[in-house]
Amino acid sequence: MKPHGIITLSRFMLEERRRVRKDASGAFTELLLEVAFAAKVVAREVNKAGLVEILGLEGGENIHGEDVTKLDVYANNVFYNALDHMGLLCVMASEENDELIEIPDRFPVGDYVLVFDPLDGSSNIDANVSIGTIFAIYRRVTARGKGTVEDLLQPGNRILAAGYVIYGSSTMFVCSTGQGVHGFTLDPGIGEFILSHQDIQVPEKAKVYSVNEVYYDKWDEPVRKFVDHIKSGAADSGPSTARYIGSLVADFHRNLLYGGIFLYPADTKNKNGKLRLLYEANPMAYVIEQAGGYASDGHTRILDKTPTDIHERTPLFIGNRNMVELAEKFIAGEM
Ligand code: AHM
Ligand code: MG
């Protein structure tokens, strides 16, 4: 049944908890709402990015002689500071930190694990191109105390919730707790995420293909053949247009809404592709599967890969199931 009235993210989460996780303590809901809060703080700063030349270059000094933090470092700090003290997490990992992020001694630890890329695609900021935050939440596997790398190196099929925030023409929080994918658009007037896209399903037809084709000559032959096949129009109900922003969240979000396939294959330079399994590929793979799509590294379902390093990279093929499975067939030499 469709709920009535304006549905804020917190109302949505509370109602979902009442319906699905009846015995839950509320810690999980609290954690997701805190991630959304941090996203609002980051959104405010991202929206000012065009003013850095007036306010001071990122990484340099502003007119007051104060250091201006780079936006990706700023976003990293915002997420960390929002979540370190809540007693909800036992450990975190971020693209911005080489090592795992411990919960400081002075704060209690909780049962959950957070992995995130605080500001993906940040090289696009100067051109006012959409960028995003990507995250996933797991339950800890170690018994107690501070979390360890073991808590972080869980396969994506153990994800409890995952999603992304897109800082675009509007800011959107898109997330799944295993009950479908829902999108919430930030109303800047009231500072609330409002349910705007309920139960997103990837459209049946894959309209778009997205890949950085400058690497064509560096891909393995099966990948080249797959892309040639798409471009020839031979793929059954295959894409009819190409779009590539170079910002994973934005490319993914568009393909989720319009249907399509995004690929970042391995190449002669990046033997395992470029994208990171833990905090880029896995959360997106979780979201796409919840929306009826599929994600693979070309051989294996992304969500079934057990990471061996928190910054491990993986080739990524993600989008409409039929297109990703077709890519797998090319790579297996069946086409
Ligand atoms: P980043 O984590 O350094 O921002 O890099 C990740 C980004 C993704 O958003 C995007 O899909 C990819 O890099 C684009 O790479 P390329 O410029 O090689 O096409
Ligand atoms: Mg990134």
Side-chain angles (χ1 to χ4, degrees):
M1 196 177 68
K2 264 201 150 173
H4 297 288
I6 292 177
I7 315 292
T8 61
L9 176 64
S10 34
R11 174 174 164 193
F12 186 88
M13 290 300 302
L14 286 172
E15 285 176 1
E16 191 181 83
R17 187 179 136 214
R18 244 180 249 147
R19 208 163 23 91
V20 190
R21 294 182 296 277
K22 293 192 177 69
D23 321 322
S25 66
F28 179 66
T29 305
E30 212 183 318
L31 175 52
L32 264 175
L33 293 177
E34 205 57 24
V35 170
F37 166 73
K40 286 190 240 176
V41 178
V42 172
R44 188 187 57 187
E45 217 57 24
V46 167
N47 289 339
K48 288 196 298 200
L51 298 169
V52 284
E53 289 198 11
I54 301 161
L55 304 175
L57 274 176
E58 295 152 25
E61 279 186 356
N62 65 16
I63 47 170
H64 309 293
E66 298 157 344
D67 286 344
V68 180
T69 316
K70 288 185 72 170
L71 262 183
D72 38 14
V73 177
Y74 173 84
N76 198 43
N77 290 338
V78 169
F79 279 93
Y80 172 71
N81 290 326
L83 291 154
D84 65 342
H85 60 280
M86 304 275 296
L88 301 169
L89 295 174
C90 66
V91 69
M92 298 183 238
S94 159
E95 176 165 348
E96 292 294 325
N97 295 69
D98 290 343
E99 307 293 333
L100 61 74
I101 309 172
E102 282 192 359
I103 302 300
D105 287 338
R106 62 186 187 282
F107 299 131
V109 292
D111 291 333
Y112 297 104
V113 175
L114 177 76
V115 297
F116 62 105
D117 182 351
L119 212 56
D120 185 68
S122 51
S123 63
N124 289 300
I125 291 172
D126 289 348
N128 224 339
V129 168
S130 299
I131 48 180
T133 297
I134 311 171
F135 69 92
I137 297 168
Y138 295 80
R139 190 178 297 282
R140 69 182 303 166
V141 290
T142 54
R144 65 186 74 81
K146 288 190 191 190
T148 68
V149 75
E150 208 190 322
D151 295 304
L152 292 163
L153 298 183
Q154 300 189 53
N157 55 32
R158 299 223 191 111
I159 286 175
L160 297 179
Y164 57 87
V165 186
I166 179 164
Y167 309 102
S169 43
S170 51
T171 298
M172 253 184 99
F173 184 88
V174 178
C175 131
S176 176
T177 60
Q179 306 292 317
V181 180
H182 309 289
F184 302 82
T185 302
L186 183 64
D187 180 336
I190 54 171
E192 290 277 4
F193 281 111
I194 308 290
L195 180 63
S196 53
H197 297 62
Q198 191 167 11
D199 209 1
I200 303 172
Q201 286 287 307
V202 66
E204 211 166 301
K205 180 166 165 38
K207 193 171 162 216
V208 185
Y209 84 97
S210 316
V211 64
N212 191 340
E213 267 190 82
V214 81
Y215 304 123
Y216 183 90
D217 291 335
K218 298 189 173 71
W219 297 331
D220 288 345
E221 202 191 343
V223 175
R224 292 204 298 264
K225 278 189 171 164
F226 171 65
V227 171
D228 290 345
H229 182 76
I230 288 182
K231 289 165 69 172
S232 73
D236 228 9
S237 71
S240 51
T241 191
R243 293 281 185 273
Y244 189 75
I245 297 169
S247 178
L248 176 63
V249 173
D251 279 310
F252 177 91
H253 184 68
R254 181 203 51 239
N255 290 7
L256 176 67
L257 297 183
Y258 297 170
I261 179 168
F262 170 96
L263 48 152
Y264 204 115
D267 58 53
T268 47
K269 198 169 136 232
N270 302 301
K271 300 265 183 248
N272 291 313
K274 178 183 183 189
L275 300 172
R276 315 297 183 126
L277 176 58
L278 219 62
Y279 42 77
E280 292 176 334
N282 263 340
M284 294 315 209
Y286 184 79
V287 170
I288 203 74
E289 287 206 7
Q290 283 288 320
Y294 177 52
S296 166
D297 69 0
H299 304 274
T300 308
R301 179 185 179 220
I302 289 287
L303 294 179
D304 287 340
K305 285 168 72 110
T306 301
T308 53
D309 182 281
I310 58 178
H311 297 295
E312 180 174 331
R313 295 174 195 270
T314 179
L316 179 63
F317 300 77
I318 189 164
N320 283 59
R321 179 170 282 277
N322 62 340
M323 283 297 117
V324 177
E325 285 179 348
L326 185 64
E328 286 184 325
K329 283 200 183 121
F330 270 89
I331 289 165
E334 292 166 16
M335 294 284 291

